[in-house]
Amino acid sequence: MSGIYRGGAALDPYRLMFDKLSKSHQLRPFVVLDKLSAILSIAFGVRQRKLEHEYESIDQEALILADQYLSSFKRDNALTTDTTLFVDTNNSMKTELLNVAKEQFALAVSLYHSWDVYEICAKWASMLKDIHETSKVSPEHGEDPILAEVLSVLAHSLSMIGSHAEGVKWAREAYEKHKCVNNLATLFHCAARHEHADTLLEFDNALNELSTSDHDDILEHFPRFSNSCVENEAEGGGELLLGVQERWLNLQLRSKNLGTCLDKKTVCESPSGHSVLDLLCAYLENFEHVSSSQKDRQKTESMCEYLGHIVDGVLRLLQVCRDRKQEKLTGRRKKKNTSKENSERSIEFDSIWNDTATQKLLGDRSQCVFVSEALWNIGNQLMTASVLDDATYDSRALAADLFAASHDFILMSEEEEGTRLSKLDYDVKYEPERFAVPSFNDASATAASDISSEFSAQCLLLSAAVTVDYLESSGRDQSSAKSLLRRTLHRLAQSQQEFESNCRKKAQVSKMIALLTMRCILGLGEDSFAFQTCNDGLCATLLKLHINDAVASDEEFLILKQVKSMSDSALQKRMIHTDRVLTKLCSDMLQKSGAYVVGGISLGDLQRKMIQSSVSVEEAIGVFQEIDDAVKKAGTGKDGTSYSAGDFAWFTVEAHNRGVSYPLLEMRHMQRHSTRSR
């Protein structure tokens, strides 16, 4: 042990003992282990004093001695004829020797692992593994927690020195020897460093095996999983980190204790040390980063599915906080205190965010606002990605839900406990019997919540527009499309109320809501419902908006063109009554603007269609009266400023034929009536 003891080998206290004991003496291994213990103590001391120039010599001396002992141990074990080690008369002494050896080697593993000297730690762990396996004290099959811990340290050390494949191999064996969260953390860390493609799949399988009823034991270790991703992935995060965050949030939301504590206002710490909104904010930031560069369709679809479930789960918790009842005072009635200070304190406590349990487990109001903004940004990002030429996945349906969720979160940031000031779209998703349609009758208009804003209204309006565009181009099956359209109508109704309360410039908003409502009711394909909605103020609103555009010198007639397109769509869907009322609306728009032909839409063609589809004499006569009034007003002019010659010819013939047929029909009706009366 030259260099370890001051004065050199002459002062080595173990030299004399080794000289007196033969190599086969039964006490010699005890002396070797005692010397090993002394060297480890010296190694600890020099590191405490930071004598770096002595590290290498001491470490190598300890390894040489350990290797000598291990060679002797294996040789003695090979000479044993029985399947069990130490079956001679000195069995108890050799058992004691084995325990001392394990203790010293385990101490070395612990010391070098704590010092982050991973290369030497791996050697010690490998030797300790050999001792455990050679002694046959541990079972060959089944769980072995002690050996599993040794293998776990070996795997981690190998991974840290760059032997990633070997690290994953021993980490996997450690987990199989003892399935616990600590060994799972090591396996995940090694797999993350190895960039193993099946890391998350293996992680999911292990989570399913380890899951308990409350998941708290697993949640405590998720910060370790997250740190492994941050340390090993480029730029501190990526797909693997996103996968861990997804599973972290999913388990935390499934925790039974979480909802119970929020409902009963039980103050306790989150199992993972982070509130739900802490995790959600970090998750949304990483989702925005990963999704911007993701090109794999299957991965994108999986990411979007997880995001939708997580957002819904957090909204469930927000609903619990919103709907919980305030505690009632018990005992003797106290005298009311009307002081301003007590009044303000009472108002502050009404907010769901002023509760300590909510702050610890769920988060604070500023995080709720951040989530709303993040969902808005992600929704726009998904919209942009869906319209690109190389888009792999149409995520507009999710984008629509994210815009609606952004609305819900911004309202929930102002929500008061037990008052239900907001009417969350979350409730509409899972309660389809709740159904509303935008109101175009001022008498039936409903005021929006005081906590709404122009931003919240924009969220719902954009959500509705995206949903309608998506359904018209995706070819969804009829049943699911109808469910989405009903939800969209509800969102439009709520958006309309919020714009009425918060927006001054309402003309463009009203135009969007009216046109989207028309597209929704056509998408539902229910003729009677669409016909009723049109007559309940929708057509009148569209006509008014068209007139306003005409006054503003809008020569494009966008509303007219869209209504004509919707009329054609209604005819294709055999919505006869809706087609008739929309055709009449187009005719009224042209007459109000004083035009006869606009963009291929001819007043004469519309009125021909109205006459042909009329269901009563009075209706047909009304159309002819409109034609007569228009001719008297404009006369006969050039094409586009009056009816065409073809229109005049058709109207003349049709008027003559109907003039002849109506008296005949009336005569036949009177004859049938008189025959029946006899």
Side-chain angles (χ1 to χ4, degrees):
M1 291 175 61
S2 59
I4 297 179
Y5 298 100
R6 301 297 179 187
L11 298 180
D12 183 354
Y14 292 97
R15 176 60 62 87
L16 181 62
M17 298 180 68
F18 283 132
D19 290 343
K20 291 184 176 182
L21 297 174
S22 65
K23 293 184 178 181
S24 60
H25 198 283
Q26 61 182 1
L27 293 180
R28 187 180 179 91
F30 284 98
V31 179
V32 174
L33 290 176
D34 191 69
K35 183 178 181 179
L36 181 61
S37 176
I39 297 176
L40 292 176
S41 297
I42 295 172
F44 179 79
V46 298
R47 279 182 166 78
Q48 286 287 95
R49 289 177 289 173
K50 299 182 179 180
L51 304 176
E52 298 181 6
H53 62 281
E54 295 189 9
Y55 289 178
E56 184 177 355
S57 60
I58 296 174
D59 295 341
Q60 291 302 318
E61 190 74 20
L63 283 172
I64 292 171
L65 193 62
D67 187 62
Q68 291 175 356
Y69 172 81
L70 187 61
S71 298
S72 174
F73 172 79
K74 289 181 178 180
R75 183 176 62 252
D76 293 342
N77 187 69
L79 294 175
T80 304
T81 55
D82 200 276
T83 55
T84 306
L85 187 63
F86 308 139
V87 294
D88 60 348
T89 56
N90 297 322
N91 183 56
S92 60
M93 181 181 293
K94 292 189 176 182
T95 301
E96 181 184 356
L97 177 63
L98 178 63
N99 291 334
V100 173
K102 288 181 179 179
E103 182 180 339
Q104 293 303 320
F105 278 74
L107 175 62
V109 169
S110 177
L111 288 174
Y112 283 101
H113 195 257
S114 65
W115 296 331
D116 296 339
V117 186
Y118 296 115
E119 186 173 358
I120 297 178
C121 180
K123 295 178 181 179
W124 281 103
S126 180
M127 289 188 287
L128 182 57
K129 174 184 74 69
D130 290 344
I131 292 176
H132 272 274
E133 292 177 343
T134 308
S135 65
K136 298 183 180 179
V137 173
S138 59
E140 293 183 3
H141 303 287
E143 290 201 351
D144 186 353
I146 298 176
L147 180 57
E149 188 172 351
V150 175
L151 295 176
S152 181
V153 175
L154 174 61
H156 181 262
S157 300
L158 289 170
S159 178
M160 295 303 293
I161 62 177
S163 300
H164 301 307
E166 284 292 305
V168 171
K169 170 191 170 183
W170 291 116
R172 189 174 288 118
E173 186 166 337
Y175 179 74
E176 291 300 324
K177 287 287 184 184
H178 182 49
K179 295 182 178 180
C180 65
V181 185
N182 276 321
N183 291 337
L184 172 60
T186 302
L187 175 58
F188 183 84
H189 173 81
C190 294
R193 289 182 64 83
H194 188 40
E195 299 181 353
H196 199 274
D198 297 329
T199 299
L200 283 178
L201 179 60
E202 197 165 24
F203 186 56
D204 286 336
N205 293 334
L207 286 180
N208 291 332
E209 292 176 337
L210 297 174
S211 293
T212 58
S213 58
D214 57 5
H215 311 291
D216 288 354
D217 53 339
I218 301 176
L219 286 169
E220 292 175 1
H221 292 78
F222 260 91
R224 293 174 61 187
F225 301 138
S226 180
N227 290 338
S228 294
C229 298
V230 173
E231 292 169 3
N232 299 313
E233 286 194 286
E235 300 179 5
E239 291 183 32
L240 193 57
L241 175 60
L242 187 69
V244 170
Q245 291 170 326
E246 290 167 349
R247 288 146 183 83
W248 190 351
L249 275 163
N250 188 38
L251 280 179
Q252 188 136 329
L253 292 172
R254 285 164 53 191
S255 174
K256 295 181 180 179
N257 292 335
L258 182 61
T260 303
C261 291
L262 284 174
D263 187 35
K264 296 182 178 180
K265 300 182 182 179
T266 304
V267 179
C268 60
E269 292 292 336
S270 170
S272 64
H274 297 274
S275 69
V276 172
L277 291 182
D278 274 339
L279 302 179
L280 184 58
C281 290
Y283 167 67
L284 293 176
E285 280 189 301
N286 195 29
F287 185 97
E288 191 172 356
H289 164 68
V290 173
S291 62
S292 63
S293 58
Q294 183 58 260
K295 299 298 182 183
D296 186 281
R297 175 187 173 85
Q298 187 175 0
K299 289 182 179 179
T300 303
E301 192 170 355
S302 177
M303 286 166 47
C304 291
E305 185 177 355
Y306 260 110
L307 177 59
H309 289 320
I310 288 170
V311 170
D312 284 349
V314 177
L315 282 174
R316 286 191 186 95
L317 292 179
L318 290 173
Q319 190 187 26
V320 169
C321 297
R322 181 194 67 176
D323 295 345
R324 63 190 175 191
K325 296 180 180 179
Q326 294 181 348
E327 297 180 1
K328 294 183 179 180
L329 295 176
T330 57
R332 186 178 61 183
R333 178 181 292 181
K334 296 182 179 181
K335 183 178 179 180
K336 291 183 178 180
N337 190 335
T338 58
S339 68
K340 181 178 180 182
E341 180 182 354
N342 287 339
S343 175
E344 290 178 351
R345 187 183 301 130
S346 175
I347 292 174
E348 288 179 357
F349 185 76
D350 286 340
S351 172
I352 64 174
W353 304 103
N354 291 341
D355 176 59
T356 306
T358 302
Q359 293 174 356
K360 283 185 171 294
L361 296 173
L362 192 58
D364 58 43
R365 177 185 173 277
S366 63
Q367 290 174 316
C368 191
V369 175
F370 177 88
V371 169
S372 175
E373 295 173 350
L375 291 175
W376 172 271
N377 293 337
I378 293 173
N380 280 292
Q381 186 182 65
L382 294 176
M383 283 290 300
T384 303
S386 294
V387 299
L388 296 177
D389 293 336
D390 59 346
T392 58
Y393 175 66
D394 192 344
S395 52
R396 286 179 294 173
L398 175 62
D401 281 344
L402 293 184
F403 290 132
S406 178
H407 163 272
D408 296 347
F409 275 100
I410 198 63
L411 261 61
M412 285 301 297
S413 68
E414 301 291 343
E415 185 61 89
E416 294 181 11
E417 189 173 303
T419 57
R420 296 180 65 90
L421 295 177
S422 61
K423 301 172 182 178
L424 292 185
D425 179 68
Y426 164 78
D427 298 334
V428 182
K429 276 188 186 178
Y430 299 97
E431 298 178 25
E433 66 275 6
R434 291 184 58 195
F435 178 56
V437 180
S439 172
F440 300 97
N441 185 350
D442 294 337
S444 60
T446 306
S449 166
D450 291 339
I451 61 177
S452 65
S453 63
E454 186 172 352
F455 173 73
S456 67
Q458 288 175 348
C459 289
L460 286 182
L461 184 57
L462 185 54
S463 172
V466 173
T467 303
V468 173
D469 285 340
Y470 167 69
L471 290 176
E472 288 180 349
S473 61
S474 65
R476 288 282 293 267
D477 63 275
Q478 193 68 11
S479 59
S480 61
K482 284 188 175 183
S483 176
L484 284 174
L485 287 169
R486 286 179 173 273
R487 190 189 307 171
T488 301
L489 283 170
H490 196 109
R491 289 174 179 172
L492 283 171
Q494 190 169 342
S495 175
Q496 183 187 49
Q497 295 172 14
E498 295 183 9
F499 272 119
E500 287 291 330
S501 302
N502 299 285
C503 182
R504 295 181 180 179
K505 299 179 180 180
K506 302 175 182 177
Q508 291 299 320
V509 171
S510 298
K511 184 188 301 184
M512 286 189 66
I513 292 176
L515 291 172
L516 285 171
T517 301
M518 184 68 76
R519 291 167 69 181
C520 284
I521 61 177
L522 286 175
L524 286 172
E526 300 173 7
D527 194 18
S528 59
F529 172 69
F531 180 75
Q532 180 182 353
T533 305
C534 287
N535 287 328
D536 282 347
L538 177 55
C539 283
T541 299
L542 288 171
L543 180 59
K544 181 179 178 181
L545 292 169
H546 170 79
I547 294 172
N548 292 339
D549 285 351
V551 172
S553 299
D554 179 11
E555 298 179 356
E556 295 185 2
F557 296 97
L558 296 178
I559 297 179
L560 169 63
K561 293 176 181 178
Q562 291 194 51
V563 172
K564 179 60 171 66
S565 176
M566 294 175 192
S567 173
D568 296 339
S569 176
L571 184 61
Q572 290 178 356
K573 295 181 178 182
R574 298 183 180 180
M575 300 171 66
I576 306 302
H577 298 292
T578 306
D579 174 47
R580 285 176 49 235
V581 74
L582 292 181
T583 302
K584 177 68 166 64
L585 176 59
C586 290
S587 173
D588 292 342
M589 287 179 175
L590 281 173
Q591 292 182 67
K592 291 292 184 180
S593 58
Y596 286 83
V597 179
V598 172
I601 305 173
S602 166
L603 177 60
D605 292 340
L606 293 173
Q607 290 175 327
R608 290 189 195 189
K609 183 178 177 182
M610 291 167 61
I611 294 172
Q612 289 174 329
S613 62
S614 59
V615 295
S616 67
V617 175
E618 290 78 8
E619 186 176 339
I621 292 175
V623 178
F624 280 114
Q625 186 61 52
E626 291 177 0
I627 296 170
D628 188 52
D629 293 340
V631 171
K632 290 178 180 178
K633 182 177 180 180
T636 57
K638 298 180 181 179
D639 291 341
T641 61
S642 180
Y643 294 109
S644 66
D647 290 334
F648 280 118
W650 192 92
F651 292 146
T652 302
V653 173
E654 188 68 16
H656 175 268
N657 292 340
R658 289 179 180 264
V660 173
S661 61
Y662 286 157
L664 292 176
L665 289 173
E666 185 177 0
M667 185 180 300
R668 291 175 184 173
H669 175 73
M670 292 177 62
Q671 288 176 351
R672 283 197 300 268
H673 180 72
S674 102
T675 303
R676 289 176 182 175
S677 62
R678 291 177 184 175

